[in-house]
Amino acid sequence: AERTLEQLEEVRGGERDPDLLDARSAVLFLRSAVQEVNPSIRFATRTWPGYDDLRMPVPTASTLAAALTEAVRNSLRHASVPGREVRRTVTTTISAGSIRIVFTDDGAGFDLAAVSADRLGISMSILGRMRQLAGGSAFVESQPGEGTTVTLVWGGDGSL
C-alpha cells in the first residue's frame, strides 16, 4: 500500500489537498492495488455525471483497496474450476461524490451460509472493514457453480 501511495503522489503532482484523491487518482490507486495482487485481472471504469466531484480521503482509499484486494486474493485461492480459466473483473463506477466497486469471478462459487465463523476473510477483511468505514457498505453474493460478486460502495457524505 505504501508503494502504491508513493506512485500515486508522483501521478497527482501538485493537487490542492494531498489528503484527498480525486476520481482519477482514486481509480489509479485501486487499479494499482489490484494489479499488485494479479496484473491479469481486467479493470474497467465507468463515470456518470458529477464523477469529478469525488474527493476521497486517502485512508478511505486504503480501506477500499484492502477490502478489494482481499476479495481478489480469496478468488485466486478458492474459485478455481478444473479444466477452465476463471475470468475475474473489477468495475468501478463513479458518480457525484460516490464510488461503487464490483469484483466478479465466474469461478466455483460457494454457499455463504456454509462458511465457517472462524474464517475471517469475508466477515472481517471485507464486510467488517466496509461497515467501519463512514459511508461504506459491502455485499457478497455467491452460489456454488455460479461464481462470486463482491460489491463495495462508498459515498463521501455517508448517505449510502
Side-chain angles (χ1 to χ4, degrees):
E2 280 186 40
R3 191 172 114 199
T4 301
L5 284 172
E6 288 170 8
Q7 292 170 338
L8 187 57
E9 283 302 314
E10 293 172 15
V11 170
R12 290 187 340 179
E15 188 176 310
R16 295 182 310 248
D17 188 339
D19 297 326
L20 294 175
L21 303 180
D22 62 12
R24 180 176 179 271
S25 297
V27 167
L28 288 172
F29 180 78
L30 294 168
R31 178 180 287 131
S32 179
V34 168
Q35 290 179 340
E36 286 286 321
V37 175
N38 187 316
S40 68
I41 293 175
R42 186 173 167 269
F43 197 104
T45 302
R46 297 178 182 150
T47 56
W48 292 96
Y51 79 92
D52 51 355
D53 291 341
L54 184 75
R55 295 295 178 267
M56 182 183 294
V58 171
T60 297
S62 294
T63 298
L64 286 165
L68 177 59
T69 57
E70 180 66 20
V72 169
R73 282 190 295 275
N74 283 347
S75 175
L76 293 168
R77 271 188 229 117
H78 304 294
S80 296
V81 176
R84 75 170 175 85
E85 183 178 342
V86 174
R87 290 180 304 211
R88 295 173 175 90
T89 303
V90 174
T91 304
T92 60
T93 303
I94 302 173
S95 60
S98 66
I99 188 167
R100 182 179 71 222
I101 305 154
V102 179
F103 171 75
T104 59
D105 73 44
D106 66 351
F110 62 96
D111 179 358
L112 282 163
V115 176
S116 173
D118 64 338
R119 301 292 306 260
L120 302 178
I122 294 172
S123 66
M124 295 305 295
S125 297
I126 298 172
L127 300 174
R129 271 189 176 116
M130 293 304 294
R131 267 194 305 270
Q132 292 178 1
L133 181 62
S137 60
F139 312 92
V140 177
E141 302 168 87
S142 190
Q143 292 291 323
E146 296 184 21
T148 301
T149 299
V150 176
T151 303
L152 310 173
V153 180
W154 178 76
D157 64 2
S159 65
L160 293 175

